[in-house]
Every structure is written in C-alpha cells, then in structure tokens.
Amino acid sequence: MSVVKTIIENLKILSENFKYKSDTFSNSVIFINEVNKIKIQPENKVGFSITYNLYFGEKMLLVSEEAVYHFCLDLFKRKNSDIEVIYRAGKPIDVSEWFKIERKEALDAIDAIQKELEYNYRLKYLFLESKRFDIIYFNDLMIIEDKKKEYLFNVFDFKILKLYEN
C-alpha cells in the first residue's frame, strides 16, 4: 500500500475515535461530525490539500506529508468551527527517536498495550502517558504526542511497533 493510501486509511480509523463519519471518493476523503467538515486530498509531491469549515466559510491549505497527522488530529479535536487550526511545520516523532528519548518507558507502554490486548482482544482505546509523551492506542494504531511540543504527533501501526521490543 502506498504511503498516501496508508495515511488516508489511518486517518479514517483515527476519525472514529472522535466520532466522525467519513466518505471516500476517488481522490479525496471527507470527515464530518457535528462541528467539522474536513476534506483531505493528496497533492503531487506537496503533501495534502486540506479544506475545513471556518466560521461560515472554508479554509484550504497545503500540509506536508510529515505534518498531516498532527494537523488532522488538531482538526479532529476542534470543538468549535470558529477556531482556526494553525499549521505547524516540524519533524514528527519517529519510533527510533522515541526509543532514544525514553527507551524503557516506550517498551513499558508497548508491553502494557500488549498485555491489555491479551486480556481483552476487543480493546479499541487505551490512554497511557510517560513524563514526555502521551500515548494513545486506538484500534491497532498508536498515536504519540510530545508534551514538550518539540515533535509533531505521529501515528504508527501497533503491530509494527511490537517489532521494536527486541
């Protein structure tokens, strides 16, 4: 699966956590809830064109592939259509960097999720935190958010993360 398709599929899964409905079209996806209407469309080599409702109109901007999860998660969390989401360029946290910063805590988080999954194979949501990161497990995806805001949010397939334990 291409990176773009993976991102779109992951965003569809993540949107469920925020009670969105989604519609997929040939070249875009739309997410809707009682506050937001968000359209995401891949753009050639630029990243993604994201259009969302703002006040009584719309705002459109280009978001890099690296920042798309961060920007979309900020939009998904938005509680009022009058709030503009600010695009922030930056480097998303990756697994190797997470392990450099707090290896033991990262391994403990992965282990805790795995144990919870063994106990409850239907687990959809689990929130964990370390001193530096908020970690959310949702439907086989793991969201890592830097409390210090040095890194952008990032999303990982939990099955792949388990390989880092060794």
Side-chain angles (χ1 to χ4, degrees):
M1 186 182 298
S2 76
V3 172
V4 169
K5 286 186 181 193
T6 299
I7 290 171
I8 295 291
E9 289 305 312
N10 286 347
L11 287 172
K12 286 166 60 177
I13 293 168
L14 293 172
S15 73
E16 294 172 18
N17 187 41
F18 299 95
K19 311 295 187 244
Y20 280 81
K21 295 191 184 316
S22 65
D23 285 322
T24 305
F25 302 95
S26 62
N27 67 342
S28 65
V29 62
I30 295 178
F31 300 100
I32 299 172
N33 73 0
E34 63 277 352
V35 173
N36 294 309
K37 181 178 180 185
I38 305 162
K39 179 181 178 186
I40 301 172
Q41 184 171 334
E43 293 289 332
N44 293 340
K45 299 180 184 176
V46 179
F48 294 84
S49 167
I50 299 179
T51 305
Y52 67 96
N53 59 312
L54 183 61
Y55 304 106
F56 296 106
E58 290 184 334
K59 174 150 182 140
M60 193 282 287
L61 40 101
L62 294 175
V63 176
S64 70
E65 193 175 285
E66 294 80 31
V68 72
Y69 285 130
H70 187 91
F71 189 79
C72 287
L73 285 166
D74 280 348
L75 274 173
F76 289 162
K77 292 176 180 180
R78 189 171 76 141
K79 302 283 188 219
N80 186 322
S81 65
D82 293 346
I83 297 170
E84 183 174 353
V85 175
I86 305 302
Y87 173 66
R88 191 177 125 216
K91 180 181 176 192
I93 186 70
D94 64 23
V95 176
S96 60
E97 194 65 28
W98 182 38
F99 273 63
K100 282 183 202 170
I101 294 169
E102 55 177 26
R103 182 170 180 77
K104 182 184 179 327
E105 293 89 345
L107 291 171
D108 287 349
I110 292 169
D111 189 49
I113 293 168
Q114 186 58 44
K115 283 181 180 167
E116 194 63 35
L117 283 168
E118 289 169 7
Y119 176 74
N120 178 6
Y121 70 92
R122 291 183 181 162
L123 179 70
K124 284 197 70 109
Y125 178 88
L126 184 64
F127 176 81
L128 301 166
E129 65 180 325
S130 65
K131 289 180 186 172
R132 173 77 186 263
F133 297 97
D134 285 336
I135 303 140
I136 298 170
Y137 170 87
F138 183 74
N139 215 14
D140 286 334
L141 294 178
M142 198 158 149
I143 305 162
I144 301 175
E145 178 181 1
D146 185 5
K147 293 178 185 179
K148 292 184 177 180
K149 309 287 187 219
E150 290 176 26
Y151 294 95
L152 301 178
F153 291 99
N154 210 347
V155 175
F156 305 97
D157 183 329
F158 183 69
K159 293 175 195 98
I160 293 170
L161 270 179
K162 290 190 305 185
L163 300 175
Y164 280 85
E165 283 186 300
N166 301 326

